Amino acid sequence: MNSTHLSTVDGTDRLCVSERAQCIPSPVLHLRQLPVDISEQEVVALALPFGRVSKLITLRTKNQAFLEMASEEAAVTMVNYYASAPPTIRNQTVFIQYSNHRELKTDNLTNQRALQAINTAAVHSGNMTSADGRGLVPAPSAVLRIIVENLFYPVTLEVLQQIFSKFGSVLKIITFTRNNQFQALLQFSDAVHAQHAKASLDGQNIYNGCCTLRIDFSKLSALNVKYNNDKSRDFTRADLPTGELEPAATAFGVALPPYGAAAFPPTFHQHTGLPVAAVPGSLVSPPRMALQVAPPAVHSVLLVSNLDPERVSPHCLFILFGVYGDVQRVKILFNKKENALVQMSDATQAQLAMSHLNGQRLHGNVIRVTLSKHPVVQLPRGGAGQEEQTLTQDFAGSALHRFKKPGSKNFNNIFPPSATLHLSNIPSSVSEDSLKDLFSARGFSVKAFKFFQKDRKMALLQLASVEEAIEALIALHDHQLDHNQHLRVSFSKSTI
């Protein structure tokens, strides 16, 4: 029987690190193309869903490792699984094959004690349900319950799909907020994928230093998704309606605080000033760059795509995005008029606008809002044509900015788009019928109207859909009602 040794003095390996791909099953597995800074915990995490790891040898200088599973059956299950879904660590695909060795021998006692601790922790945490190494024990469910702690940045349904799909086919996701925590239910195509994802991701940070994943198996065996929108998604059913999002929820399923991330304050390191993650679990230590989801940019420029070139204008985007921050500049791209750049006052406002407006309908199109790589929106040069100059507008000095006054009550009244609009600054001479006629004359279908009992300067007006309300806000915000009063329109969290 072949045995393998590793020098504990200088780390020089005596393993054959250029082994040919082996087709003969073996309890010993050879892992190649590992990240340079990979930890033992991360290597072991790849194997834990399939059984106990008996021995581990890492060859850091060669970006390789050898694992000995407690049984050949566990090794076969692991190789077969990763053959169809190769694992990725920090954007680097890891290759796993049988070794031509049948056994590993090492005198590195520290390494083996650490391995024993990892195995023990895995059994207690439920990431490995059998300690005897007899292969993968089926997970309780293909559905995972995910809680995101230390929510310093918004976490989107798309981000969860991006992270978890590396471990298998994600079928459905439902996001919601409970007990002031962003949570999600995520269904894989089978329980093996769910078990692998839980073992690898529990305790990891989505973004560097924050947004820590806490993962458990759900008691549900399957999810029932009724709508495909930014709160829920059935990736197997493209025909599902979008539905109307609840007014008190955001487009991304993250209950953002009234303004920015202030309601979820992170703990800051006393010396570096950077946010400190919640204490990770003992199984997996978060890598430096977390899960390789790029941290939100500090830039305040948004890229808006899938616009209707025939109907969109810089003023239209200024009014809509101005609900969530003070828009400084808007540029509709000259050669791609379905795309535009919107520069907000700061990065917090950009995040807020993106989380509320991405996936909403404008002029019949579902728009996409992402962070742009551009730090600022450039104004046209002096030699630019008339059309190009018209497509770019500077709103820095606009009187319509909602948040220019420090401590403005507008900071406390930021809500996602909804079918109910909040109207304010209404003159006493303007009647209910006049306001309803104002909206009806523009083609909007008024479903309900109600003045505020204690303040007749404000009212709620309900339209047929969220899309219609978005267009009504754009059309009638700042509409002149008499010689010196202009209507103020925003989205309401209430219904009539």
Side-chain angles (χ1 to χ4, degrees):
M1 177 180 292
N2 290 328
S3 62
T4 305
H5 297 268
L6 178 69
S7 168
T8 58
V9 178
D10 59 3
T12 303
D13 75 89
R14 298 171 190 168
L15 288 164
C16 175
V17 296
S18 58
E19 291 186 334
R20 295 180 180 178
Q22 296 296 310
C23 297
I24 302 174
S26 165
V28 179
L29 300 178
H30 181 201
L31 285 67
R32 297 181 291 114
Q33 287 193 203
L34 296 168
V36 176
D37 59 344
I38 195 168
S39 66
E40 281 82 2
Q41 290 96 329
E42 289 176 289
V43 175
V44 175
L46 293 173
L48 282 176
F50 306 93
R52 184 168 60 86
V53 179
S54 299
K55 293 171 187 172
L56 166 68
I57 296 175
T58 54
L59 311 176
R60 295 186 183 280
T61 59
K62 300 184 182 298
N63 306 111
Q64 301 184 26
F66 285 80
L67 285 171
E68 182 179 334
M69 302 299 289
S71 73
E72 185 174 299
E73 182 184 358
V76 171
T77 306
M78 179 173 167
V79 169
N80 290 343
Y81 173 81
Y82 286 129
S84 59
T88 302
I89 299 178
R90 292 198 273 297
N91 286 343
Q92 200 163 314
T93 301
V94 176
F95 293 95
I96 301 175
Q97 64 189 42
Y98 298 117
S99 171
N100 55 10
H101 299 277
R102 297 287 303 174
E103 180 185 3
L104 295 179
K105 291 185 179 180
T106 175
D107 52 1
N108 189 334
L109 296 178
T110 302
N111 181 292
Q112 299 314 305
R113 288 194 191 103
L115 181 60
Q116 183 178 3
I118 293 170
N119 278 317
T120 302
V123 173
H124 290 312
S125 67
N127 287 326
M128 182 178 66
T129 47
S130 172
D132 62 4
R134 298 183 183 275
L136 181 66
V137 177
S141 170
V143 179
L144 297 177
R145 182 174 69 94
I146 303 158
I147 297 176
V148 183
E149 296 179 348
N150 201 17
L151 188 67
F152 187 64
Y153 295 115
V155 174
T156 69
L157 183 149
E158 284 82 358
V159 164
L160 292 177
Q161 196 269 341
Q162 176 188 344
I163 294 168
F164 283 82
S165 62
K166 294 178 181 179
F167 299 91
S169 179
V170 175
L171 302 184
K172 304 172 185 179
I173 302 177
I174 297 173
T175 64
F176 55 95
T177 301
R178 180 174 294 166
N179 299 327
N180 276 339
Q181 286 184 313
F182 174 62
Q183 302 189 27
L185 293 170
L186 184 147
Q187 181 181 340
F188 278 102
S189 57
D190 63 58
V192 174
H193 296 155
Q195 192 159 10
H196 179 211
K198 181 182 185 299
S200 301
L201 296 177
D202 188 27
Q204 296 273 22
N205 297 323
I206 296 177
Y207 298 127
N208 201 19
C210 61
C211 300
T212 307
L213 292 170
R214 300 299 179 199
I215 305 171
D216 289 303
F217 292 110
S218 171
K219 295 178 181 178
L220 299 172
S221 59
L223 298 179
N224 180 24
V225 176
K226 296 180 180 179
Y227 302 112
N228 279 342
N229 53 39
D230 289 315
K231 288 185 65 182
S232 62
R233 197 77 52 84
D234 185 338
F235 296 97
T236 68
R237 293 275 310 275
D239 59 320
L240 289 180
T242 58
E244 287 194 6
L245 296 178
E246 291 289 330
T250 72
F252 271 77
V254 181
L256 284 173
Y259 188 72
F264 301 97
T267 303
F268 290 96
H269 192 281
Q270 61 178 338
H271 300 301
T272 66
L274 297 173
V276 178
V279 179
S282 59
L283 178 59
V284 181
S285 298
R288 279 200 299 274
M289 284 307 293
L291 297 175
Q292 289 304 303
V293 177
V298 296
H299 297 158
S300 57
V301 178
L302 298 169
L303 172 64
V304 189
S305 55
N306 201 35
L307 296 164
D308 183 345
E310 301 299 321
R311 301 180 64 185
V312 74
S313 68
H315 178 77
C316 154
L317 295 176
F318 165 69
I319 295 295
L320 178 58
F321 281 76
V323 173
Y324 303 105
D326 292 338
V327 177
Q328 301 300 301
R329 294 176 180 177
V330 178
K331 177 193 284 289
I332 296 174
L333 304 188
F334 181 73
N335 294 321
K336 292 184 177 179
K337 293 187 176 65
E338 67 276 10
N339 296 330
L341 296 175
V342 177
Q343 182 178 335
M344 309 296 288
S345 285
D346 57 45
T348 301
Q349 292 183 3
Q351 286 282 344
L352 198 61
M354 179 176 70
S355 64
H356 282 302
L357 294 177
N358 180 62
Q360 296 291 345
R361 284 189 176 273
L362 176 62
H363 303 140
N365 292 1
V366 176
I367 63 170
R368 290 294 159 201
V369 184
T370 57
L371 290 168
S372 169
K373 296 178 182 178
H374 297 281
V376 296
V377 171
Q378 299 287 349
L379 295 175
R381 299 188 185 92
Q386 179 62 36
E387 183 184 6
E388 188 174 352
Q389 291 190 10
T390 304
L391 293 174
T392 304
Q393 289 190 25
D394 189 343
F395 297 99
S398 174
L400 295 183
H401 285 163
R402 298 175 187 247
F403 308 102
K404 59 185 177 181
K405 292 181 181 179
S408 168
K409 62 182 180 181
N410 290 333
F411 288 110
N412 299 320
N413 292 295
I414 298 174
F415 304 110
S418 66
T420 304
L421 295 174
H422 180 275
L423 311 181
S424 60
N425 204 37
I426 303 169
S428 58
S429 59
V430 175
S431 67
E432 174 180 337
D433 288 339
S434 298
L435 288 169
K436 290 164 71 173
D437 289 344
L438 174 64
F439 283 80
S440 298
R442 299 293 185 104
F444 303 118
S445 178
V446 179
K447 297 297 183 182
F449 181 95
K450 183 176 71 174
F451 273 116
F452 277 54
Q453 272 189 333
K454 296 182 180 180
D455 188 353
R456 203 181 171 282
K457 293 179 181 178
M458 296 189 293
L460 295 178
L461 181 138
Q462 187 172 329
L463 297 175
S465 67
V466 175
E467 181 181 2
E468 196 169 298
I470 289 174
E471 298 199 19
L473 181 143
I474 292 169
L476 292 170
H477 178 64
D478 196 46
H479 178 81
Q480 188 169 352
L481 293 176
D482 65 12
H483 65 283
N484 63 356
Q485 285 186 271
H486 294 250
L487 183 65
R488 297 286 179 259
V489 185
S490 57
F491 297 114
S492 174
K493 66 176 181 179
S494 306
T495 55
I496 303 174

